[in-house]
Amino acid sequence: MASSSIMSIGVSGLSAARAGLTTTGHNISNVSTPGFSRQAVVYNATTPTFSGAGYLGAGVEITTVERQYSAFLDRQRLSVESHKGYLDTYLQQARQIDNIMADPASGLSPALQRFFAGVQDVATNPSSVPSRQSMLSLSEIMVDRFHTLDARMTDLRNGVNTDIEGSVDRINSLASEIAKLNLQIASSPGTGSTPPNDLLDKRGALISELNGYVSVNTLDEGNNVVNVFIGSGQSLVVGATSLSLKAGVSPENADNVQISLVSGSSQVTLPDSVFQGGKLGGLLAFRSEVLDSAQNSLGRVALALAQTFNAQHRLGQDLNGSLGGDYFDAPAAVVQARTTNTGTGVLAASVVDAGAVTTSDYRVLFQGGNFLVRRIPEGTETSYASLPQTIDGVTISLASGTPAVGDSFLVQPTRRAAADLALNVTDTATIAVASPLRTTAATSNSGTARVASADVTSVTGLPLPANVNLTYNQTSNTWVVSGAVPAVAAIPYTPGNAFAVNGVALKVTGAPANGDVLTIANNTGGVSDNRNALKLVRLQTANTLENGTTTYQGGYSQMVSDVGNRTREVELQSDAQTALVEQARSAQQGLSGVNLDEEAANLVRFQQAYQASGKVLQIASQLFDVVLALNR
């Protein structure tokens, strides 16, 4: 009996040592396997046998093979890695816009400066055809620069859309694999007390990869099966069932890809805010926070330049003696109706004040008795009982039809302005450099009154059918106007004060004598007149954007600064997040990672235990032989 007991103890020791050697070898062979958690054999003493002298040990038994894993450390690692993936993706995309816009050679600033240098050259040499041709050439270069920058942003948007589609496909694939592993784990024998460690690690590696695309949370529903939630709480894997996402053209904005949750034959559009963290969250955040704003800002500069330059150019006169036309083809606002609208309503939008236009888009929602207008991305909302309404310099109107309750429209005043900007003037002779009117003082005047400035503010009624004369009446201290259409009452005179006559803002200084005459006449033969060109030049430094607070260049520089500051901010956050990721990974690997030095020591330890157990068996065999010899 004794030898039999000793033999069973030796056998249990051999089994225990062999299990230790097997597990240690398994750890060593998986040292480079992603997601692998170090395993360790858990031993327990076999129930002892009672004898008259007390309890005698009966050897060792293997309880389980334990996975060295901490759910807390793993959640910490997933959290910081997801945010790191978000920041890295955001930063990678933002740097591209930052490099494009801030480039001193390929940015908009040098093209704007050269364009106005061309306008200045024409103002200096108004009758020079080469100067006029140079202005047209520099205009084309500037327009091309707007197109190039906008095309680069469009390429970025298309790239983001493609990356979103690729990310969604991979998320679906990972969700399906996780669900299959849930089923496999749940059906594994001994799942409760002896979990299938390698399957759990494989599932953990898939969850970690999924976390790189979008922030992941898991909930253990028992039997080692986990439910997986992404972003702000959208369920993706429930037990052995995985849900499916789909990326497709947004029904509200054809330029963007939007993500939907597929449920049978129906699809539910999910807001971008659902997808937080990871590569997908970074792509969506970059698109809404940087790309949309930058493209709108570039478009706003193009729109303001076209409208204000056109407005001044129309007040001028070209070499043919004709009034100026539009120098640029002014871009139009874009209105997109949601593809799921059920009504017949068609909305239209037009920019009536480029200086008041912001970089926002507008979502117009028909609620039956009113129209709700939401600014994007600010989210502020205003309700209107009817249309048209003018908001931030943009007039939104119901062009035709009747919208149904719930119908939605996206108004983008500046999104495509840079792409749509075009040069309207192609003939050097049609550049309106001169002023269409000129003022003169009669040679017979005996006073010192003179016209300090005469700015054309309206071309209605031009050219004048006849000269307009202003005769000074000393008794009433007024200028008596004759020839004006329509007639103008006598104008009280205060030196230096401006007053308007037939679309001309006059400023007269000096002391007129009774009967002195000032004349406003059509500008005939004004080939060398540069007065309108000078006003065009001044637009470069005029505050035409942000409700008259900044210039074209200032608006562009503000966009470059915003993108640069945001890029730098994300860069700093990414650097800090890298340190957090390293700390979290180090803590997790300290528990779960394979240490080759430690495993080498375990090999020696289990080898010696195996040899010692073998020696126990040898001695037990010898004892048994002795017993048999005694019985012969």
Side-chain angles (χ1 to χ4, degrees):
M1 291 293 292
S3 61
S4 175
S5 178
I6 294 173
M7 187 168 288
S8 64
I9 290 173
V11 170
S12 71
L14 280 175
S15 298
R18 185 175 64 249
L21 286 169
T22 301
T23 302
T24 300
H26 184 59
N27 288 341
I28 292 172
S29 63
N30 284 282
V31 65
S32 300
T33 302
F36 179 79
S37 299
R38 180 171 57 90
Q39 298 177 12
V41 181
V42 178
Y43 301 103
N44 195 20
T46 305
T47 303
T49 302
F50 181 75
S51 69
Y55 286 93
L56 296 178
V60 65
E61 62 183 10
I62 300 171
T63 303
T64 187
V65 178
E66 189 176 64
R67 177 170 168 246
Q68 305 303 297
Y69 171 80
S70 167
F72 172 74
L73 292 178
D74 200 49
R75 280 195 299 269
Q76 272 193 329
R77 178 184 62 83
L78 289 176
S79 176
V80 295
E81 284 182 344
S82 177
H83 193 52
K84 181 67 165 64
Y86 166 89
L87 292 173
D88 286 350
T89 302
Y90 196 120
L91 180 60
Q92 178 187 8
Q93 300 293 335
R95 276 176 173 163
Q96 295 186 64
I97 288 190
D98 189 32
N99 293 338
I100 295 168
M101 297 301 163
D103 191 290
S106 61
L108 180 64
S109 295
L112 268 175
Q113 293 169 3
R114 287 194 291 269
F115 165 67
F116 278 104
V119 180
Q120 177 65 63
D121 186 30
V122 171
T124 304
N125 307 287
S127 60
S128 170
V129 173
S131 293
R132 288 168 173 259
Q133 185 58 59
S134 175
M135 177 179 168
L136 287 180
S137 298
L138 292 171
S139 300
E140 291 174 349
I141 291 173
M142 182 188 66
V143 169
D144 286 343
R145 185 63 52 83
F146 273 109
H147 292 172
T148 299
L149 292 174
D150 184 83
R152 187 70 186 94
M153 291 188 190
T154 299
D155 288 343
L156 280 175
R157 186 178 300 278
N158 293 336
V160 167
N161 288 339
T162 300
D163 285 348
I164 290 172
E165 291 172 343
S167 297
V168 167
D169 288 343
R170 186 55 184 156
I171 287 172
N172 288 336
S173 176
L174 290 169
S176 177
E177 293 179 51
I178 292 170
K180 290 177 182 178
L181 279 171
N182 270 343
L183 178 61
Q184 193 174 353
I185 290 169
S187 59
S188 297
T191 300
S193 58
T194 55
N197 294 324
D198 293 317
L199 291 179
L200 295 178
D201 281 344
K202 186 176 180 180
R203 185 183 65 190
L206 293 176
I207 290 175
S208 182
E209 184 181 350
L210 176 62
N211 187 68
Y213 288 97
V214 61
S215 179
V216 168
N217 286 298
T218 60
L219 178 65
D220 192 343
E221 67 170 25
N223 205 26
N224 287 314
V225 173
V226 296
N227 296 332
V228 179
F229 304 90
I230 60 174
S232 60
Q234 173 62 49
S235 58
L236 185 66
V237 178
V238 180
T241 303
S242 64
L243 303 180
S244 180
L245 302 177
K246 182 179 179 180
V249 176
S250 169
E252 297 185 338
N253 183 355
D255 295 332
N256 289 345
V257 163
Q258 195 162 24
I259 304 171
S260 302
L261 179 67
V262 179
S263 178
S265 59
S266 63
Q267 296 182 23
V268 178
T269 301
L270 300 175
D272 291 351
S273 57
V274 167
F275 304 95
Q276 300 174 357
K279 178 180 179 180
L280 185 56
L283 289 170
L284 293 171
F286 161 76
R287 187 176 69 183
S288 62
E289 296 175 9
V290 178
L291 183 55
D292 286 351
S293 175
Q295 199 163 16
N296 284 356
S297 294
L298 181 67
R300 183 176 66 162
V301 175
L303 178 66
L305 175 65
Q307 285 206 352
T308 54
F309 202 89
N310 283 349
Q312 185 59 55
H313 193 261
R314 288 194 295 267
L315 298 179
Q317 179 176 280
D318 63 21
L319 280 179
N320 301 319
S322 301
L323 293 173
D326 283 345
Y327 191 81
F328 296 103
D329 281 335
V334 175
V335 179
Q336 296 188 59
R338 189 169 59 193
T339 57
T340 56
N341 285 356
T342 58
T344 59
V346 176
L347 257 63
S350 60
V351 176
V352 295
D353 183 1
V357 172
T358 69
T359 59
S360 298
D361 294 333
Y362 303 87
R363 170 68 56 195
V364 182
L365 181 67
F366 183 62
Q367 297 180 317
N370 62 295
F371 293 87
L372 182 69
V373 179
R374 179 184 302 120
R375 285 177 174 82
I376 303 173
E378 296 87 351
T380 56
E381 297 179 342
T382 307
S383 184
Y384 299 96
S386 62
L387 295 178
Q389 297 290 337
T390 299
I391 307 162
D392 300 329
V394 181
T395 297
I396 302 173
S397 59
L398 182 61
S400 64
T402 303
V405 175
D407 281 0
S408 177
F409 305 84
L410 178 64
V411 178
Q412 298 174 304
T414 63
R415 176 61 56 85
R416 298 180 189 169
D420 293 344
L421 182 67
L423 191 61
N424 188 55
V425 172
T426 57
D427 183 356
T428 58
T430 58
I431 301 176
V433 172
S435 174
L437 299 174
R438 64 171 60 246
T439 59
T440 57
T443 56
S444 59
N445 288 355
S446 57
T448 60
R450 65 181 184 86
V451 177
S453 63
D455 297 326
V456 176
T457 58
S458 172
V459 293
T460 302
L462 296 185
L464 296 173
N467 290 349
V468 177
N469 293 320
L470 288 79
T471 305
Y472 182 67
N473 185 318
Q474 187 173 17
T475 302
S476 60
N477 189 32
T478 58
W479 292 99
V480 178
V481 183
S482 61
V485 179
V488 177
I491 301 169
Y493 175 58
T494 301
N497 279 8
F499 55 90
V501 178
N502 264 59
V504 180
L506 290 172
K507 186 177 290 185
V508 179
T509 60
N514 189 51
D516 283 357
V517 177
L518 302 176
T519 300
I520 303 173
N522 293 319
N523 185 12
T524 56
V527 175
S528 297
D529 186 354
N530 68 349
R531 285 176 293 163
N532 198 54
L534 291 174
K535 290 181 172 61
L536 292 172
V537 170
R538 294 190 193 109
L539 289 174
Q540 181 179 13
T541 55
N543 289 333
T544 51
L545 293 172
E546 299 267 355
N547 290 311
T549 60
T550 190
T551 62
Y552 309 130
Q553 181 64 52
Y556 180 75
S557 298
Q558 180 182 349
M559 176 192 65
V560 173
S561 177
D562 287 345
V563 172
N565 289 338
R566 190 180 292 272
T567 302
R568 180 56 179 161
E569 179 184 348
V570 175
E571 187 176 19
L572 293 174
Q573 291 179 358
S574 180
D575 291 342
Q577 195 68 17
T578 299
L580 293 177
V581 169
E582 290 175 354
Q583 292 173 7
R585 287 176 178 173
S586 177
Q588 194 233 11
Q589 286 299 302
L591 174 66
S592 301
V594 176
N595 186 310
L596 290 179
D597 291 337
E598 181 182 351
E599 299 303 328
N602 286 338
L603 278 178
V604 174
R605 180 164 62 91
F606 289 124
Q607 179 188 18
Q608 292 174 344
Y610 194 90
Q611 292 171 342
S613 295
K615 190 67 174 177
V616 170
L617 283 176
Q618 182 183 7
I619 293 173
S621 179
Q622 292 172 353
L623 290 175
F624 189 68
D625 289 342
V626 170
V627 172
L628 289 177
L630 290 174
N631 292 330
R632 290 191 182 123

